Amino acid sequence: MRSDIQCCAEFLRLLGPEDEAVTAFYRDVVGLPVMRSYPGIQMLWCGEDIAFELKYDTPDVPEPDPRTAALSCASAGKITSALFVPVLRTYDLDATRARLVAAGFPPVLDEAGEHGRAIYVVGPDGRPTGFQFRDAGSPLAVDAEALRRWEAGEQGLPNTGPMAPELQDLSRIVLHASDVARSSAFYAGALGLDDVVDEGDARLHSLGDTTLLQISPGGAERPVPADRFEAASAFLLRCHDLAGLTRDALAAGARPVGEEIVYVTGPGVDVRIRYLADPDGAVVGLIQRTDDGGGEEDVEAMRRWAARASSGAARA
């Protein structure tokens, strides 16, 4: 992965009018604790230093019908949405299933693979969310590292409540692409994500730490949104050279979505965000902080980045 990209910073869901039932689903049923709230925004924690943001009051986003989404998933035997789908890592899939069923959200899809299983549910917002168990025999380094951290008790974020007891992190973000090879080449070439491996008809790329981008077939091309609020879902990469990464990504075929966003947080410090579109028009964000803090996940990410730099200097 490019040296100026650190990790996945955030998974973003853009929604319609604020709905407590939707917030309660992700908080109480999925099991993600709220880190902080702003008007129209709920920032939840989904493991490591990653935020799960619910952004309400985005009227340009079409509201899916949960019944239609559930029917489509069940009848097709797979989820084929071109939207990004978050998949959370669980170490007790039966307990996860039981919690979802008890709350009235039975799985609409079960998947079984050589080294794991996954289930998907559709929430009251009509969006699919997955839960994945990976066994100790998985050949993927991210799964081995996730298991090591789990067994060492390396989960938790300061001043933040725990996730559901069997959940660990954001295991994967699934993108269904119209052309897997083309999208894979984009994420590797334009954004500098490491190739990991082919997994069946999907291609895996590293998003840093223990999170993967899974590019699977089934999506469709669509127009590039004029603004990020026209996207239903996105993920953001935490980076440390936004200008350079944006320049290289645009030169490699990424298309701009709006202008760069700047939040000034103090004298000489700010948060900068740039959104880009992939070959299918799906939206990816790049975020860089030049301050020393922010939310708890930002503080933890900055601590990890400093530790990485210190370790590199020591090896040199």
Side-chain angles (χ1 to χ4, degrees):
M1 189 154 59
R2 281 180 61 127
S3 61
D4 51 5
I5 296 177
Q6 181 176 356
C7 60
C8 178
E10 179 179 320
F11 185 86
L12 172 63
R13 281 205 151 146
L14 294 108
L15 305 161
E18 189 156 8
D19 188 341
E20 172 56 28
V22 173
T23 299
F25 169 76
Y26 289 103
R27 182 190 63 217
D28 303 329
V29 180
V30 173
L32 306 180
V34 175
M35 295 190 294
R36 55 193 180 277
S37 300
Y38 309 106
I41 296 175
Q42 296 289 335
M43 300 294 290
L44 290 74
W45 180 53
C46 60
E48 299 293 338
D49 47 6
I50 305 177
F52 194 110
E53 178 178 352
L54 304 178
K55 176 71 173 74
Y56 292 103
D57 299 321
T58 52
D60 291 334
V61 178
E63 283 298 299
D65 183 336
R67 295 166 298 176
T68 301
L71 179 61
S72 174
C73 293
S75 62
K78 62 173 65 176
I79 293 175
T80 57
S81 168
L83 305 180
F84 293 109
V85 180
V87 180
L88 299 164
R89 189 186 308 273
T90 174
Y91 284 97
D92 189 341
L93 191 59
D94 291 337
T96 301
R97 184 195 302 270
R99 182 174 67 254
L100 296 167
V101 170
F105 296 95
V108 297
L109 174 65
D110 286 71
E111 290 182 337
E114 182 179 0
H115 293 287
R117 297 177 294 143
I119 58 174
Y120 292 83
V121 299
V122 174
D125 55 353
R127 312 287 173 81
T129 299
F131 303 82
Q132 181 184 58
F133 167 76
R134 298 288 293 180
D135 65 37
S138 169
L140 300 181
V142 293
D143 292 331
E145 175 60 15
L147 181 59
R148 184 200 67 77
R149 296 181 187 188
W150 179 262
E151 292 179 338
E154 297 178 8
Q155 49 269 354
L157 192 68
N159 303 313
T160 303
M163 290 189 290
E166 78 281 5
L167 298 185
Q168 181 182 21
D169 60 11
L170 184 61
S171 176
R172 299 185 180 193
I173 298 173
V174 180
L175 170 65
H176 292 91
S178 63
D179 185 326
V180 170
R182 181 180 65 165
S183 290
S184 176
F186 169 84
Y187 284 98
L191 295 181
L193 302 185
D194 289 343
D195 286 334
V196 175
V197 70
D198 287 322
E199 189 176 78
D201 56 6
R203 184 72 185 167
L204 305 181
H205 292 267
S206 172
L207 292 176
D209 279 330
T210 55
T211 302
L212 296 173
L213 174 65
Q214 175 182 320
I215 304 175
S216 294
E221 291 189 42
R222 51 187 162 173
V224 175
D227 186 273
R228 70 193 189 282
F229 290 142
E230 296 177 15
S233 297
F235 72 88
L236 284 77
L237 290 169
R238 191 181 301 275
C239 66
H240 296 270
D241 181 8
L242 180 63
L245 179 54
T246 301
R247 180 193 63 241
D248 294 347
L250 291 174
R255 293 163 292 174
V257 177
E259 301 296 327
E260 182 176 302
I261 303 165
V262 181
Y263 300 104
V264 177
T265 59
V269 295
D270 54 42
V271 180
R272 296 177 179 270
I273 304 173
R274 188 67 192 262
Y275 288 93
L276 304 171
D278 77 0
D280 280 337
V283 176
V284 180
L286 310 173
I287 181 170
Q288 178 178 2
R289 302 190 69 100
T290 60
D291 59 5
D292 293 327
E296 293 292 350
E297 77 283 8
D298 297 312
V299 173
E300 174 61 15
M302 295 297 281
R303 183 196 68 78
R304 294 185 183 195
W305 186 253
R308 178 191 297 185
S310 176
S311 175
R315 287 196 298 270

